């Protein structure tokens, strides 16, 4: 599948109806999701026939993309039942059978799914809404769940911190893409408008 086809397919995924700011419910745009999944699939061959987990799956844009790219099974994990209801409607509309969901708080998963997935993908909450450190909790959980690689989107400003953590955790970390991310208006809480455009790193662990 070409990148443009994947992107236009992901444009059909319905997003959050009433996003919960405290859960950082902003969706990954079809363009960013498409670029991320296309790279993971074509450059690293980590989707087709793989068991994939999507942490903080929201309405499912990353999970649905992985399923469309022939994941063996993609399991989306999210704390919010409202987001998972929309996820399930999306799955029905796409008529996908290689996809499932688990409602849970990712920060409490611990080692329950240790090494159960080939690949973990995610656009985690960044920890900017009284939930500082949640991005690192997601990352640690993702690393414990994956037999293979973790692909995760993070703010570039956290790159050095993540790099240090990766070395503490004895995992290899590489920035494989830099993307521009335009947060929706409700997240533009910074005084300087330009601050709302975050470059995002896609990490490989
Ligand atoms: C930035 S959004 C990403 C949504 C979706 N993955 C996407 O790419 O469009 C972060 C998601 O993490 C979920 N979330 C926030 N805190 C969570 C937690 N502690 N456990 C599980 N999910 C959580 C939110 O409900 C939201 O769906």
């Amino acid at each position: 599948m070409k990148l443009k086809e994947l992107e236009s397919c992901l444009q059909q995924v319905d997003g959050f109806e009433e996003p919960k700011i405290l859960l950082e419910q902003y969706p990954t745009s079809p363009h960013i999701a498409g670029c991320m999944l296309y790279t993971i699939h074509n450059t690293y061959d980590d989707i087709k026939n793989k068991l994939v987990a999507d942490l903080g799956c929201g309405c499912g844009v990353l999970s649905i993309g992985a399923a469309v790219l022939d994941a063996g099974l993609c399991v989306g994990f999210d704390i919010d039942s409202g987001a998972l209801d929309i996820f399930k409607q999306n799955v029905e509309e796409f008529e996908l059978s290689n996809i499932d969901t688990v409602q849970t708080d990712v920060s409490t998963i611990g080692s329950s799914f240790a090494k159960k997935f080939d690949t973990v993908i995610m656009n985690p909450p960044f920890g900017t809404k009284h939930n500082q450190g949640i991005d690192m909790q997601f990352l640690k959980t993702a690393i414990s769940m994956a037999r293979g690689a973790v692909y995760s989107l993070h703010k570039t400003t956290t790159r050095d911190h993540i790099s240090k953590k990766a070395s503490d955790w004895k995992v290899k970390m590489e920035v494989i893409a830099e993307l521009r991310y335009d947060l929706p208006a409700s997240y533009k809480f910074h005084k300087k408008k330009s601050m709302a455009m975050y470059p995002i790193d896609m990490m490989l662990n």
Side-chain angles (χ1 to χ4, degrees):
M1 182 181 275
K2 293 200 171 115
L3 175 58
K4 282 273 165 226
E5 280 176 78
L6 180 61
E7 264 186 57
S8 68
C9 169
L10 296 179
Q11 269 156 10
Q12 313 308 314
V13 177
D14 288 335
F16 300 104
E17 276 160 17
E18 289 173 20
K20 298 186 174 102
I21 306 283
L22 292 177
L23 291 177
E24 300 192 50
Q25 290 187 334
Y26 40 82
T28 310
S29 70
H31 174 64
I32 288 187
C35 289
M36 178 177 181
L37 295 163
Y38 187 85
T39 306
I40 300 170
H41 178 56
N42 286 283
T43 309
Y44 298 98
D45 193 22
D46 273 334
I47 292 191
K48 191 167 182 187
N49 297 327
K50 305 286 186 192
L51 184 50
V52 179
D54 173 9
L55 304 189
C57 61
C59 303
V61 69
L62 294 177
S63 293
I64 288 170
V68 165
L69 292 171
D70 287 332
L73 178 70
C74 182
V75 184
F77 294 76
D78 206 286
I79 197 168
D80 184 43
S81 61
L84 290 176
D85 286 345
I86 301 171
F87 183 118
K88 288 173 201 159
Q89 282 166 27
N90 280 322
V91 170
E92 264 182 47
E93 276 157 33
F94 274 78
E95 299 183 354
L96 292 163
S97 55
N98 54 343
I99 202 160
D100 209 346
T101 55
V102 175
Q103 185 183 356
T104 188
D105 179 345
V106 166
S107 63
T108 64
I109 285 182
S111 57
S112 317
F113 292 92
K115 304 286 167 239
K116 291 281 187 273
F117 291 86
D118 297 310
T119 306
V120 179
I121 56 178
M122 59 182 186
N123 179 8
F126 293 148
T128 55
K129 293 290 173 188
H130 307 291
N131 52 356
Q132 200 183 2
I134 196 159
D135 51 342
M136 300 313 294
Q137 283 175 12
F138 266 60
L139 204 44
K140 196 162 191 199
T141 303
I143 291 166
S144 89
M145 290 169 76
R147 291 188 284 263
V150 174
Y151 299 89
S152 184
L153 298 174
H154 294 271
K155 283 163 63 178
T156 296
T157 49
T158 60
R159 186 186 292 182
D160 290 345
H161 179 60
I162 292 176
S163 176
K164 193 178 165 303
K165 281 285 174 195
S167 107
D168 292 349
W169 296 337
K170 302 199 181 348
V171 293
K172 185 173 144 253
M173 188 279 268
E174 198 185 323
V175 177
I176 56 177
E178 249 192 25
L179 310 151
R180 302 294 300 180
Y181 195 107
D182 192 9
L183 290 173
S186 50
Y187 288 90
K188 292 184 178 175
F189 48 86
H190 291 288
K191 286 196 181 103
K192 282 190 200 157
K193 232 183 168 185
S194 61
M195 293 278 286
M197 289 285 288
Y198 295 116
I200 301 280
D201 289 340
M202 189 161 94
M203 309 281 186
L204 169 64
N205 290 287

